[in-house]
Amino acid sequence: MSEIPRRDPRKEWIARNRLHPDHLSVLAELGEGTSVATEWMGPNGVIRRNPHAVGFIGPNGIKRIDRSGAQQGGPAVTGTAETKDSRRQVTIDDPAFLVTVVPELPGGRLSGHDKDLLGLARRLADADPERPGAVLAVVFGEHKEEAFGEAGIDRLLHLDDALFDGYAPEARLAALAAVEAEYAPSHWLLPDSKLGGADLGRRLAARLQERPAAGVWQIEPDAAAPLGWRCTGRGAAGTTDIQRALPRVALALPECAEPVSETRHAAQSLALPQPLPALLARIEDRGQVAVDPAGVALAEAEFILSAGNGVKEWEGFHHAAKVLGATEGASRVAVDDGFMPRDRQVGATGTWVTARVYVAVGISGAIQHLQGIQSCEKVVAINLDPGCDMIKRADLAVIGDSAGILAALVEMVERLREEKRDAA
């Protein structure tokens, strides 16, 4: 009998240590016939995907930076269309149970938080191959999403009624109660966020007389638990991890699971068999209140226009932020040079931001700045240098003079607004 060769434990340690100077070279050496090249072990012993793999997509849907330039048209990067076409089609005709997710869909599309939540739902639904479950998504109001199946949804209940427009927690709660009565899901998953998921999830738990788990960021199988799962959530203002049996209602944080990436699901439409009963709402939505973007804290801003060393026309930059309705941010260089106040600094040495859209104007992309914007959903870069790290990080890059590009953008926005006023 031949002896199984043992790998060098020091190299194994270097392969798991992303900060070691020999990390990438050891990964390449161990990549043949081992999973080390695609996975790594975190500080708590949890196996993670290797963020240094070429073209790696993080849990927020962000492509990680490859400073070697391999992502710049290299053969190892697979196009989006090819990746979608290669996904395995999954259809669950007779599920053993349902896991219901209530995504928030900010802007009418699935957010990174929503996709993480759906990835968590798939873990619950696919845990037992002999008794596969299905993921049911309950969507309120109009939406623009066309890729529900690619996000892991097997059944889609779309409740498109003016009753659910705006802030209508009572109407939405009544609809979820009807879903509970009709389908009796094994679990309810909602995003633990300030956009409404946390509020609706707690209302639902009270209606179902369940003790919800909040701040959930991890789940693990546990045969001793009533539902077969144990969850870990953040408590004490985010300073402590609390473990408990996973209840029926869970409010999960971003990056609670990897989003679905290898399968495409049916997203079959469902409808409630009975119309919802008439509801006498005690809450009336009087519409949104306009907020000055300049007064919004960076950590809470959804649209940020951020300036760096490449900005020379500061008056034009401030005018663009005002016209676009964006909150102003800045790089450390712009702050140190006195062009922006310190509370506007974005990055690991300033404020970590979670904007839905982050526009970096004249920012080359120092590592501290990139760390501070890693949770932003969409990043737009305006820069003269096509090889800078911010361009590599961006979802959309515009190469050119920032002053001219901002001026053209402002002109276009003002023209469109004028046309709408004339049409009205």
Side-chain angles (χ1 to χ4, degrees):
M1 174 180 276
S2 61
E3 183 180 356
I4 299 176
R6 299 178 61 186
R7 293 198 292 266
D8 186 346
R10 174 172 173 75
K11 290 184 178 180
E12 291 278 357
W13 176 79
I14 294 175
R16 292 192 294 266
N17 185 353
R18 295 176 294 165
L19 302 180
H20 197 281
D22 297 332
H23 174 73
L24 293 178
S25 60
V26 171
L27 276 182
E29 180 180 343
L30 297 180
E32 184 68 22
T34 179
S35 64
V36 175
T38 58
E39 296 179 346
W40 63 282
M41 183 176 293
N44 296 321
V46 179
I47 298 297
R48 304 293 190 190
R49 292 187 180 181
N50 171 29
H52 293 282
V54 174
F56 172 82
I57 303 295
N60 284 325
I62 299 172
K63 181 177 289 186
R64 299 301 191 226
I65 296 172
D66 177 14
R67 296 182 183 276
S68 67
Q71 292 181 0
Q72 303 300 314
V77 180
T78 306
T80 303
E82 181 181 348
T83 303
K84 290 182 180 179
D85 292 341
S86 66
R87 291 186 176 189
R88 176 169 55 89
Q89 182 68 40
V90 176
T91 302
I92 302 176
D93 296 320
D94 188 19
F97 57 92
L98 291 177
V99 178
T100 301
V101 177
V102 187
E104 290 175 322
L105 276 80
R109 291 185 173 86
L110 290 172
S111 65
H113 195 171
D114 291 335
K115 293 178 181 178
D116 295 341
L117 200 67
L118 290 167
L120 189 69
R122 284 254 61 96
R123 283 198 61 192
L124 296 171
D126 301 336
D128 186 357
E130 300 298 327
R131 298 180 63 256
V135 174
L136 165 65
V138 180
V139 174
F140 294 103
E142 297 182 359
H143 66 81
K144 306 172 186 176
E145 184 61 57
E146 299 178 354
F148 285 115
E150 295 175 11
I153 296 173
D154 302 298
R155 305 287 190 272
L156 179 64
L157 177 59
H158 182 203
L159 302 175
D160 186 11
D161 193 296
L163 184 67
F164 307 113
D165 292 344
Y167 181 67
E170 296 171 310
R172 297 190 179 202
L173 181 59
L176 297 184
V179 174
E180 167 71 17
E182 179 65 26
Y183 300 110
S186 64
H187 291 90
W188 286 90
L189 302 181
L190 295 92
D192 196 350
S193 82
K194 60 188 178 183
L195 298 181
D199 173 66
L200 184 59
R202 286 166 172 81
R203 291 173 181 269
L204 176 63
R207 173 67 64 89
L208 301 182
Q209 297 184 352
E210 295 279 350
R211 177 171 169 254
V216 173
W217 64 272
Q218 188 181 51
I219 63 171
E220 298 172 303
D222 185 356
L227 299 179
W229 292 87
R230 180 176 69 253
C231 67
T232 304
R234 294 286 163 83
T239 61
T240 303
D241 281 342
I242 300 174
Q243 285 195 341
R244 57 169 292 197
L246 181 67
R248 288 192 64 214
V249 181
L251 311 178
L253 297 174
E255 302 189 4
C256 56
E258 291 285 346
V260 175
S261 60
E262 299 178 354
T263 55
R264 185 194 299 266
H265 295 255
Q268 299 173 0
S269 297
L270 290 183
L272 291 174
Q274 300 293 334
L276 295 175
L279 178 68
L280 181 60
R282 294 170 295 178
I283 299 176
E284 180 184 358
D285 186 356
R286 303 296 297 271
Q288 296 183 353
V289 178
V291 177
D292 183 6
V296 177
L298 278 176
E300 300 178 358
E302 294 190 356
F303 178 25
I304 298 176
L305 186 68
S306 196
N309 192 41
V311 173
K312 306 303 179 184
E313 298 290 337
W314 285 96
E315 184 177 348
F317 171 81
H318 295 309
H319 178 64
K322 183 177 180 180
V323 171
L324 299 176
T327 301
E328 293 186 2
S331 68
R332 179 179 177 178
V333 175
V335 171
D336 288 345
D337 289 345
F339 293 109
M340 294 285 284
R342 184 64 63 183
D343 64 342
R344 295 288 107 183
Q345 181 178 328
V346 176
T349 55
T351 301
W352 295 62
V353 297
T354 58
R356 288 171 56 194
V357 178
Y358 184 84
V359 182
V361 184
I363 300 176
S364 60
I367 186 63
Q368 293 87 349
H369 196 91
L370 296 178
Q371 288 174 341
I373 66 172
Q374 61 182 345
S375 296
C376 295
E377 290 189 22
K378 298 296 180 183
V379 175
V380 180
I382 302 175
N383 208 292
L384 285 170
D385 181 8
C388 69
D389 287 336
M390 184 60 75
I391 294 293
K392 297 177 184 178
R393 163 64 178 82
D395 300 280
L396 173 65
V398 183
I399 308 300
D401 176 63
S402 61
I405 293 172
L406 288 179
L409 181 60
V410 167
E411 180 183 355
M412 181 181 68
V413 171
E414 291 178 336
R415 183 175 66 252
L416 291 175
R417 289 176 179 171
E418 188 65 30
E419 290 176 357
K420 287 184 179 181
R421 283 194 292 267
D422 293 342

